[in-house]
Amino acid sequence: MSMRGAGRVLRLRPSRAWATVYPRSFSTAGARFQDGKSAAEERTTHFGFQNITESMKESKVREVFDSVAKNYDTMNDVMSFGIHRLWKDQFVQQLNPGKKSIFSEPMTILDLAGGTGDIAFRMLNHARTVNGDSETRVKVVDINEEMLKEGVKRAHALGYRTEGEDAPISFMVQNGETLEAIPDNSIDLLTIAFGIRNFTDKEKALSTAHRVLKKGGVFACLEFSKVNNFILDQIYRRYSFSVIPMMGQLIAGDRDSYQYLFPSQKDFAGMIRDAGFQLAGKGWQDLTFGVAAVHTGVKL
Amino acid sequence: MASKTLHRTVRQGLLGYSSRWKLSPTGRLLKNDLTNSRSNHGQSATASGTPYTPEQSAILSAALSHVPTQGFSDSTLLMGVKDAGYLDVTMNLFPQGPFAIVNYHLVTQRERLSEYANSDEWKDLQASNQKFGTTDKIRALCVERLRQNKAIIHRWPEAITLMKYPANIQSSTSELFNLADTMWNIAGDTTVDVSWYTKRGILSGIYAATEIYMTQDKSDRFTNTWAFLDQRLADSKSVGSTVGRVGQYLDYAGHNIVNVLRSKGMKI
Ligand SMILES: C[S@@+](CC[C@H](N)C(=O)[O-])C[C@H]1O[C@@H](n2cnc3c(N)ncnc32)[C@H](O)[C@@H]1O
């Protein structure tokens, strides 16, 4: 898109002066279609309730997750009443990582926005225990080094090597939108759990995912979503827009990282298709009435 | 009003399957379904008219070729994926697992039947037969369709099991109805009224019963299956003129199939 480069200006401003409180605005799309004018109309993106410039978001995300890295797991438990563990279990079980027959190659899995490795460890465990495959490897990629450091600690505690070509699990700082260090057509399965909402440019992240996947490779995304039950939706809205940020404040000492907006399941499925994937079935599966959803696309 | 109750009875009675019709009971909608049966598959619809993308077709047809020896299973699906040149992980393209192979067979064979209706064979059959009435056409179409199950008939009970899973029952039922609609359409009966539901119900009932019968038929060239089909068609008298006899037919379609099959020694 033509205005993208021109629109990106990194400016330092006093902490929060730039943040307009602008509830429920999906500004990315709007900004893209009005063609580039002046620097004042620089491209903005939503970051929870705050509208900020895209360039700021990246550093903002990093900042936010630095502040929660240590408390992250507690926070997640509280946010989802611990259900996120079940969702993650189901997510991994369904993807069924690991080679299925002696004629198959072990898989190379990339866990994007992998944080402290919650998904990655489940993958390794599933490949080993369910499919008897101890060769399948996971690369955990995150923009935030602090999160990854926690992950390395956990890996060592679990007895996994993290260094060397053939390490079962490795950790790498990368921006998920570009994945510069990951070659084209090199990944069997790319997962992202509770991460896509933080991405400044979701379309770019999706096309990058498409680039790094092999032919036949699978993109799978677990994320909070739109509840499809009216009553639950009312409750959940209150919860996610007031309770979650409040608890974020109390427990992780950071309110901003827990204010999120996300496109509907159908819209997100459309974005996945637009990135060149074929959808699995209708493209997503709701978990717990759509409080979370798994989206799946395949590169064919 | 009589026709309204009739309508409802028809909807609720057919194969014990009602909820689907509460939402879209108008003939217009059904007609659209009929002429554009791929509409519910959205994304994958292609110019050629099938709901499958070329890649999906490649995988599923390869898988289907393994069904006679491997049955309808995950490993059959994996073979299809590998034959088509993809990865183990590509299995995730099919969230319904091996039911995807079953559905592929159902859809492609229904499409094939539409093509058959344009074939010389079908035209000759009609031309050479002065009194080739609606029931004769329906019989011929059922036979033509059932013949396509021959190669996998010994594995078909596995398919039926998959079709009955709660997650798959809606797809299976609507595909069965699509088949009935296609047959009526070819047979030249396209009126959309109360009898539409009835005819669809009766025919899908007869077809399903005959298909189950066929899985356990050991007779030479399935002669017993064709006889069974003839008997069912005769039972329902002239299946073309049904309005006014709904109760009778419903009774047949709804309750008697199971009894009829049991009386033939079927284990259902
Ligand atoms: C809510 S955490 C999820 C962590 C992990 N996937 C889980 O489910 O436990 C979101 C993660 O996304 C990472 N992230 C945000 N933007 C990113 C980007 N552009 N590239 C890579 N990672 C990013 C954050 O650093 C953070 O670790």
Side-chain angles (χ1 to χ4, degrees):
Chain A
M1 242 141 275
S2 64
M3 68 163 290
R4 182 178 291 169
R8 290 189 153 222
V9 183
L10 189 98
R11 268 180 288 170
L12 289 176
R13 300 184 217 182
S15 80
R16 300 218 169 202
W18 44 266
T20 350
V21 176
Y22 203 101
R24 317 207 91 207
S25 152
F26 297 83
S27 54
T28 345
R32 181 149 326 143
F33 294 116
Q34 294 156 17
D35 243 316
K37 302 275 157 53
S38 67
E41 289 157 67
E42 133 183 37
R43 186 175 169 170
T44 60
T45 182
H46 67 72
F47 188 81
F49 284 135
Q50 301 174 337
N51 261 16
I52 59 173
T53 60
E54 292 215 334
S55 45
M56 297 303 290
K57 182 163 174 179
E58 226 172 88
S59 51
K60 181 84 178 138
V61 167
R62 197 169 298 148
E63 192 181 292
V64 153
F65 282 101
D66 269 347
S67 69
V68 299
K70 290 239 158 53
N71 291 321
Y72 172 72
D73 292 328
T74 330
M75 190 56 227
N76 243 352
D77 271 343
V78 178
M79 260 173 76
S80 65
F81 303 110
I83 294 176
H84 76 105
R85 291 167 193 275
L86 300 180
W87 290 335
K88 286 171 178 172
D89 288 345
Q90 193 183 338
F91 181 60
V92 170
Q93 231 163 59
Q94 227 164 277
L95 289 166
N96 194 7
K99 57 177 187 173
K100 306 291 174 305
S101 78
I102 48 163
F103 306 109
S104 302
E105 294 292 313
M107 294 181 182
T108 304
I109 300 170
L110 189 143
D111 186 31
L112 183 53
T116 58
D118 257 23
I119 298 298
F121 296 123
R122 282 175 169 81
M123 292 281 185
L124 287 179
N125 188 50
H126 183 102
R128 279 153 202 250
T129 55
V130 178
N131 291 313
D133 168 7
S134 53
E135 294 170 281
T136 280
R137 277 176 244 160
V138 187
K139 295 175 196 287
V140 184
V141 162
D142 201 288
I143 203 165
N144 184 295
E145 199 172 353
E146 295 306 309
M147 295 289 269
L148 293 178
K149 279 183 188 160
E150 288 296 311
V152 173
K153 277 189 218 158
R154 287 174 75 187
H156 293 158
L158 288 165
Y160 290 121
R161 271 181 309 116
T162 56
E163 300 296 330
E165 266 298 289
D166 59 347
I169 184 165
S170 59
F171 295 82
M172 194 193 301
V173 176
Q174 285 276 287
N175 184 346
E177 286 174 19
T178 47
L179 293 178
E180 276 140 25
I182 310 294
D184 297 358
N185 309 310
S186 62
I187 304 295
D188 291 80
L189 172 61
L190 187 147
T191 51
I192 176 163
F194 304 114
I196 194 92
R197 61 191 156 159
N198 302 309
F199 279 62
T200 313
D201 187 343
K202 295 182 177 57
E203 281 89 353
K204 194 167 164 199
L206 288 170
S207 68
T208 297
H210 194 269
R211 173 181 71 76
V212 302
L213 281 168
K214 297 176 187 170
K215 181 177 159 232
V218 170
F219 167 84
C221 173
L222 169 63
E223 187 53 86
F224 285 108
S225 207
K226 288 236 159 83
V227 179
N228 55 24
N229 169 302
F230 181 76
I231 307 285
L232 253 168
D233 188 38
Q234 300 305 309
I235 299 167
Y236 184 68
R237 273 177 198 227
R238 301 236 151 173
Y239 176 70
S240 65
F241 288 110
S242 53
V243 182
I244 291 176
M246 209 176 71
M247 289 194 304
Q249 179 103 12
L250 290 173
I251 297 168
D254 194 303
R255 190 181 177 88
D256 296 342
S257 54
Y258 298 103
Q259 290 184 325
Y260 292 112
L261 296 168
F262 200 73
S264 74
Q265 285 88 325
K266 197 161 173 253
D267 291 345
F268 188 52
M271 287 165 66
I272 294 171
R273 199 175 46 216
D274 290 345
F277 291 101
Q278 283 187 26
L279 300 180
K282 68 175 176 184
W284 75 89
Q285 192 205 350
D286 285 332
L287 305 177
T288 321
F289 309 105
V291 172
V294 175
H295 280 81
T296 313
V298 185
K299 175 177 174 180
L300 292 172
Chain B
M1 236 181 80
S3 82
K4 235 184 173 168
T5 2
L6 195 71
H7 207 97
R8 199 173 52 234
T9 333
V10 171
R11 276 194 269 146
Q12 292 174 351
L14 293 184
L15 309 170
Y17 192 78
S18 59
S19 55
R20 183 183 147 90
W21 308 111
K22 285 181 185 145
L23 295 171
S24 60
T26 71
R28 183 175 296 279
L29 266 177
L30 294 169
K31 266 297 246 198
N32 287 346
D33 272 359
L34 172 67
T35 46
N36 186 16
S37 56
R38 70 198 101 120
S39 58
N40 15 351
H41 297 273
Q43 62 135 1
S44 35
T46 58
S48 67
T50 114
Y52 295 101
T53 62
E55 294 84 3
Q56 291 166 346
S57 296
I59 294 170
L60 293 171
S61 60
L64 200 53
S65 72
H66 292 290
V67 165
T69 53
Q70 308 295 317
F72 291 93
S73 66
D74 277 322
S75 60
T76 313
L77 190 56
L78 181 63
M79 286 176 171
V81 164
K82 304 286 257 181
D83 287 357
Y86 297 107
L87 311 164
D88 284 14
V89 77
T90 316
M91 291 278 278
N92 282 287
L93 185 59
F94 307 103
Q96 294 167 306
F99 177 71
I101 314 174
V102 177
N103 208 47
Y104 181 77
H105 178 71
L106 297 176
V107 170
T108 52
Q109 289 308 327
R110 170 178 44 81
E111 287 172 343
R112 196 193 150 280
L113 202 62
S114 296
E115 284 162 28
Y116 174 73
N118 294 319
S119 70
D120 291 342
E121 193 183 329
W122 178 247
K123 283 172 193 148
D124 292 348
L125 200 62
Q126 285 178 283
S128 66
N129 208 329
Q130 287 298 312
K131 292 187 68 193
F132 200 57
T134 307
T135 310
D136 300 312
K137 289 181 193 169
I138 293 292
R139 182 198 191 268
L141 292 168
C142 283
V143 170
E144 179 60 27
R145 172 61 189 82
L146 288 165
R147 279 202 178 120
Q148 307 310 318
N149 286 358
K150 273 186 182 174
I152 52 173
I153 196 66
H154 58 297
R155 294 295 190 168
W156 199 247
E158 297 166 36
I160 293 173
T161 304
L162 290 169
M163 284 158 77
K164 287 195 290 200
Y165 282 2
N168 302 335
I169 189 92
Q170 175 153 358
S171 308
S172 329
T173 313
S174 76
E175 193 42 47
L176 181 62
F177 285 170
N178 282 344
L179 177 65
D181 292 350
T182 302
M183 287 181 179
W184 281 121
N185 208 21
I186 298 171
D189 195 334
T190 52
T191 37
V192 175
D193 49 22
V194 168
S195 69
W196 177 268
Y197 302 100
T198 321
K199 287 182 292 191
R200 157 191 271 180
I202 293 168
L203 182 50
S204 37
I206 291 174
Y207 178 83
T210 313
E211 193 172 66
I212 295 172
Y213 184 92
M214 190 177 174
T215 61
Q216 295 177 41
D217 182 4
K218 299 276 180 292
S219 67
D220 185 36
R221 282 186 268 159
F222 299 103
T223 43
N224 288 351
T225 298
W226 315 137
F228 179 86
L229 174 63
D230 287 333
Q231 194 53 49
R232 303 286 75 70
L233 288 168
D235 280 358
S236 65
K237 304 275 166 30
S238 169
V239 287
S241 61
T242 49
V243 195
R245 322 181 69 156
V246 178
Q248 186 187 331
Y249 290 121
L250 268 188
D251 198 36
Y252 173 77
H255 309 292
N256 285 353
I257 286 175
V258 171
N259 292 338
V260 168
L261 286 168
R262 286 203 177 123
S263 72
K264 298 276 169 188
M266 301 285 117
K267 295 176 220 90
I268 63 167

